[in-house]
Amino acid sequence: MKILLIEDEPELRKTVKQFLHNEGHVVESASDFRKAEDKAGSHDYDCVLVDITLPGGNGLEIIRQLKKNRSKAGVIIISAKNSLDDKVAGLELGADDYLTKPFHLSELNARIKSVNRRMNFEGSNEIIFAEITVNTDAQSVKVKTKNVDLTKKEYDLLLFFMSNRNRVITKESIAEHLWGDDMDMADSYDFIYSHIKNLRKKIMAEGGGDYIHTVYGAGYKFGEE
Amino acid sequence: MRLLFKTSFVYFITTALVFIGGGIIFYYNLQGILDEEVNEKLNVQKDRIEKYISEHDSVPALPYDHNAVDEIRPCVKPVNGYFADTVFYSKEEEEDLPYRMFIFSENIHGSNYLFRVSKPLFESDDLSETILGSFGIVALILLVVFLVLNYFISGKLWKPFFRTMQELKEFKLEGKRTIEPVKTSTKEFRQLNEALIAMTEKARNDFRNMKSFTENASHELQTPLSVILAETEQMLQTPSLNEEQLNSIQSINQTTRKLSRLNQSLLLLAKISNRQFEAGEKTDMSAVVNKKLDALQELITFKELDRRSEIAAEIKWPLHHVLAEVLVNNLLSNAIRHTETKGQLRITLANDKLVVANSGDPLSEPEKIFERFYKESSSSESTGLGLAIVKQICETCGLKAGYSYEAGMHTFAILH
């Protein structure tokens, strides 16, 4: 996937760029409004990550220009401003998602993939990992050929894992992905544990492998070990 | 006691004292004058008698208008004239009346005659009565005048003062209303008003600066926190790490997350008190509570809580919907977090109140429950700001937040 990262903070830009690169994306970055305008206007991207407060201009203006040029890129706003107005304005302009700083890279990853799935109407709406197939349109899960009946949270959890294959995912990022920002409770970790246990049980019951691994001291990892 | 009444009271007491003192002095002075007047008249009478004697050389008759005290009689020795007071019973008035007598002797044809002439004295009782009476009337008029003046003065003269005072009472640091300048010709009130306007503006400016500093600081902190979070998350992916290293990195990640959350809560507090969430239209509280309950239902089930809720429909409160969500979320999260497994959870939403109650042991310091950073247990994952935010929202939006502990239930009530 070709991604344009518009972020003025050099350290964060470097880290996110490296992360996206490791995930196998082609990443270009812009550090201010003018550069961002240039790049967004002259190349096609699959996804544009844009910070709202930029030196030299407002990130919302970039979104406006992208939409004016009928760009097919999915747009995700990344902002330190958890301001509702910005969020509403951004989404109204046609941004696909809004992520508030600080965010988990695994969350960013999941959002990019989700936006990308939504953008590719013609493409496959199935995510496949080993014998597990997730249909994101029908929100259904199959192991081999058998349907697995998952709760909404278990489905979200599985999708989150599958979007972050072979990555160590912290319990915090799982909690935030499932319950959002305002969920701040210690209980949720036990809760996650029970969800993971159930998910694992359901997949294995239909003959699937055990792909959710506990990484001691850090969190979980989804993948073939 | 009102200032005006106090000053009037002092004025009145002073005036009364002056009147009493003045009355006494007046009384004695008047009596002295009257005394002299009587003596003078008696002297004139004596002169007349002497004149008669020198002209006629015979004993004069008593004057036509003489009274019972007067008399002329022969005496042995000549007497040096002297004045004396006496009382005489008057048949007409049926009481003793005071008289001033002038007693002197004259020599007519070699024999001495004693003359006693008299004039009735003005009764001192009557005198003091008259003075007291007239002074009393004057004092009474003065009192009435004072009261009437008071009424008019407080109505007119003090009006700018009371208006300024009213404005000061209604002044809120975080509000928008400024103290209006008063139009008055009274210099003191104008100065007071000007001083207050300057002071409140200054206070409000300082407050605003402080708030925007808090907000900016919190905001600026989010970016470096993002960097730490992203970097540690990337470090966790390094395959060669041992468990100990993973642990430390995860610990940094977790703490940074907590720091960020704390920061966000502080930012939210600053925003709420900065009134960045002005209630435009009313928020459907029933919908908000139901939505949050739905979102938290899994957790409630997971903890096997006995949840009972009475949510009235179509309850609308004048509250920004973001604040309504934060308010409900914080109350419910707090209740769920602090209830033991299989505990009880009660939620009631009515027109005028939202009550969230959960079972649990009593708190050691219940009065501190809404304080910032107050935590009952130090191990808690929470920021200690959730209920402080609830309180802040209530204060900003004209709601009342209360806590009580009854029959084993922690009860939080938000009154509209």
Side-chain angles (χ1 to χ4, degrees):
Chain A
M1 223 189 284
K2 201 173 170 191
I3 297 174
L4 174 61
L5 170 66
I6 307 168
E7 166 63 58
D8 60 324
E9 169 67 33
E11 288 299 322
L12 191 62
R13 193 170 63 239
K14 196 188 83 193
T15 314
V16 173
K17 195 174 173 181
Q18 185 61 44
F19 160 73
L20 293 172
H21 179 76
N22 291 350
E23 288 290 304
H25 302 298
V26 178
V27 191
E28 286 198 32
S29 61
S31 58
D32 61 31
F33 183 80
R34 201 186 48 76
K35 284 180 197 157
E37 208 180 10
D38 275 0
K39 288 194 172 167
S42 55
H43 300 282
D44 278 337
Y45 297 94
D46 297 308
C47 187
V48 178
L49 308 176
V50 55
D51 189 357
I52 289 191
T53 39
L54 288 173
N58 192 315
L60 292 174
E61 187 51 41
I62 305 268
I63 302 173
R64 201 171 284 128
Q65 286 178 19
L66 280 171
K67 294 296 157 185
K68 211 174 96 190
N69 297 335
R70 299 179 185 282
S71 161
K72 286 209 171 73
V75 179
I76 299 175
I77 296 169
I78 297 169
S79 176
K81 266 195 191 164
N82 193 2
S83 143
L84 195 80
D85 292 341
D86 281 352
K87 197 166 178 170
V88 170
L91 296 179
E92 269 177 4
L93 279 175
D96 298 279
D97 214 338
Y98 188 104
L99 203 53
T100 308
K101 282 182 197 172
F103 49 82
H104 294 281
L105 290 173
S106 40
E107 183 64 35
L108 176 65
N109 202 15
R111 302 278 184 110
I112 290 174
K113 286 183 179 166
S114 159
V115 165
N116 192 51
R117 273 199 303 277
R118 269 184 277 158
M119 301 307 292
N120 293 329
F121 296 113
E122 308 90 32
S124 161
N125 51 19
E126 290 195 332
I127 308 169
I128 300 165
F129 178 83
E131 62 274 12
I132 305 171
T133 307
V134 177
N135 185 315
T136 53
D137 279 353
Q139 302 211 339
S140 65
V141 177
K142 274 183 188 169
V143 172
K144 288 169 193 157
T145 53
K146 276 183 264 178
N147 268 327
V148 184
D149 193 19
L150 296 182
T151 65
K152 176 82 175 68
K153 286 280 184 283
E154 285 161 2
Y155 171 81
D156 286 346
L157 188 59
L158 180 63
L159 203 58
F160 190 58
F161 273 135
M162 287 178 84
S163 301
N164 287 290
R165 286 170 211 181
N166 296 314
R167 279 182 60 78
V168 176
I169 303 173
T170 60
K171 283 182 283 185
E172 289 78 29
S173 59
I174 296 175
E176 271 189 42
H177 180 76
L178 293 185
W179 289 286
D181 241 354
D182 47 4
M183 180 85 163
D184 112 67
M185 38 184 67
D187 291 328
S188 57
Y189 299 143
D190 297 336
F191 195 22
I192 288 163
Y193 175 71
S194 99
H195 273 303
I196 287 174
K197 206 173 68 184
N198 290 341
L199 179 62
R200 190 187 270 147
K201 215 190 284 171
K202 282 182 181 176
I203 290 172
M204 286 169 77
E206 300 299 336
D210 182 9
Y211 302 115
I212 305 170
H213 310 286
T214 306
V215 181
Y216 290 103
Y220 299 94
K221 193 175 187 173
F222 186 84
E224 302 200 56
E225 200 69 341
Chain B
M1 204 188 278
R2 291 174 70 167
L3 177 69
L4 209 58
F5 186 75
K6 268 189 181 172
T7 47
S8 302
F9 187 71
V10 171
Y11 279 139
F12 188 73
I13 291 290
T14 316
T15 316
L17 284 176
V18 168
F19 267 61
I20 292 168
I24 291 167
I25 294 169
F26 191 64
Y27 174 83
Y28 282 110
N29 269 348
L30 197 66
Q31 207 168 43
I33 290 169
L34 287 176
D35 265 9
E36 245 168 62
E37 183 72 22
V38 169
N39 293 354
E40 193 71 20
K41 276 183 181 162
L42 290 173
N43 262 325
V44 167
Q45 230 170 358
K46 182 190 173 202
D47 286 349
R48 245 193 255 148
I49 288 170
E50 275 173 351
K51 199 178 163 205
Y52 183 90
I53 291 168
S54 67
E55 276 174 10
H56 299 88
D57 202 22
S58 63
V59 178
L62 283 169
Y64 175 73
D65 62 339
H66 78 276
N67 57 50
V69 182
D70 295 0
E71 72 173 347
I72 304 169
R73 60 177 165 87
C75 65
V76 185
K77 282 179 186 169
V79 181
N80 275 332
Y82 67 94
F83 292 101
D85 288 347
T86 184
V87 288
F88 184 77
Y89 186 79
S90 152
K91 271 176 191 156
E92 291 88 14
E93 310 250 340
E94 294 183 335
E95 62 175 333
D96 285 334
L97 294 177
Y99 281 85
R100 167 70 44 91
M101 308 180 291
F102 189 23
I103 299 159
F104 58 96
S105 64
E106 294 290 335
N107 195 303
I108 307 168
H109 292 304
S111 39
N112 286 324
Y113 286 89
L114 186 83
F115 287 82
R116 193 162 76 182
V117 290
S118 70
K119 288 272 170 199
L121 281 176
F122 195 86
E123 277 181 86
S124 58
D125 277 0
D126 283 352
L127 190 66
S128 49
E129 248 169 53
T130 310
I131 292 172
L132 208 70
S134 44
F135 271 50
I137 288 168
V138 173
L140 207 69
I141 292 170
L142 213 60
L143 180 67
V144 171
V145 167
F146 266 138
L147 287 176
V148 172
L149 263 181
N150 248 349
Y151 182 76
F152 281 108
I153 287 173
S154 65
K156 231 181 143 61
L157 199 62
W158 285 81
K159 202 176 168 188
F161 177 79
F162 289 123
R163 235 192 45 213
T164 306
M165 205 163 71
Q166 188 58 31
E167 292 231 32
L168 200 60
K169 261 190 214 161
E170 285 168 14
F171 178 80
K172 280 197 186 99
L173 207 51
E174 62 267 39
K176 276 183 183 157
R177 254 187 62 161
T178 49
I179 292 189
E180 277 177 38
V182 289
K183 286 192 193 94
T184 170
S185 54
T186 315
K187 194 178 160 198
E188 286 84 353
F189 291 158
R190 235 178 19 236
Q191 282 177 337
L192 174 75
N193 191 257
E194 281 161 10
L196 278 176
I197 289 175
M199 196 189 81
T200 48
E201 278 306 302
K202 169 96 172 55
R204 192 171 271 170
N205 257 332
D206 289 353
F207 183 71
R208 226 178 272 149
N209 284 340
M210 192 195 75
K211 289 284 175 189
S212 73
F213 171 77
T214 314
E215 200 180 327
N216 289 339
S218 302
H219 186 218
E220 289 302 318
L221 274 173
Q222 290 299 75
T223 305
L225 286 173
S226 303
V227 176
I228 301 175
L229 212 60
E231 291 288 355
T232 48
E233 212 182 320
Q234 278 304 80
M235 273 170 88
L236 281 176
Q237 312 306 329
T238 319
S240 56
L241 296 176
N242 60 32
E243 199 181 324
E244 203 179 317
Q245 288 165 325
L246 279 172
N247 251 326
S248 341
I249 298 168
Q250 167 63 357
S251 167
I252 296 172
N253 187 282
Q254 217 166 19
T255 319
T256 310
R257 196 69 214 161
K258 203 169 160 184
L259 195 61
S260 154
R261 222 187 271 284
L262 196 64
N263 193 36
Q264 272 167 345
S265 297
L266 285 173
L267 186 59
L268 181 63
L269 268 175
K271 279 181 176 175
I272 297 168
S273 50
N274 275 354
R275 296 185 176 262
Q276 289 190 9
F277 302 97
E278 283 295 327
E281 46 201 52
K282 293 187 169 184
T283 297
D284 187 344
M285 293 301 288
S286 318
V288 173
V289 174
N290 281 323
K291 196 177 113 188
K292 284 290 162 193
L293 273 177
D294 276 354
L296 291 165
Q297 186 51 49
E298 277 188 302
L299 202 56
I300 294 170
T301 315
F302 180 72
K303 288 192 87 171
E304 299 174 66
L305 302 184
D306 167 24
R307 170 198 134 177
R308 275 177 221 171
S309 47
E310 278 175 53
I311 318 287
E314 299 274 318
I315 303 293
K316 296 210 163 101
W317 285 7
L319 190 68
H320 192 282
H321 71 95
V322 169
L323 294 189
E325 282 182 26
V326 172
L327 179 81
V328 172
N329 182 69
N330 287 7
L331 280 175
L332 291 178
S333 303
N334 178 72
I336 295 172
R337 184 188 310 128
H338 293 113
T339 315
E340 69 283 17
T341 308
K342 293 182 181 170
Q344 296 171 50
L345 186 63
R346 302 275 177 275
I347 301 121
T348 314
L349 176 68
N351 205 11
D352 57 340
K353 64 180 178 184
L354 167 66
V355 180
V356 176
N358 65 290
S359 56
D361 295 328
L363 301 174
S364 54
E365 293 170 294
E367 68 284 353
K368 284 189 175 171
I369 189 110
F370 288 112
E371 275 181 22
R372 293 177 183 194
F373 303 116
Y374 171 72
K375 291 183 198 173
E376 187 70 10
S377 59
S378 56
S379 63
S380 170
E381 276 286 307
S382 71
T383 54
L385 286 173
L387 291 176
I389 291 175
V390 167
K391 179 93 175 163
Q392 183 74 59
I393 291 174
C394 290
E395 276 173 8
T396 316
C397 303
L399 304 172
K400 237 186 114 196
Y403 166 79
S404 62
Y405 185 79
E406 284 158 24
M409 299 287 281
H410 299 285
T411 309
F412 292 88
I414 309 296
L415 303 177
H416 172 223

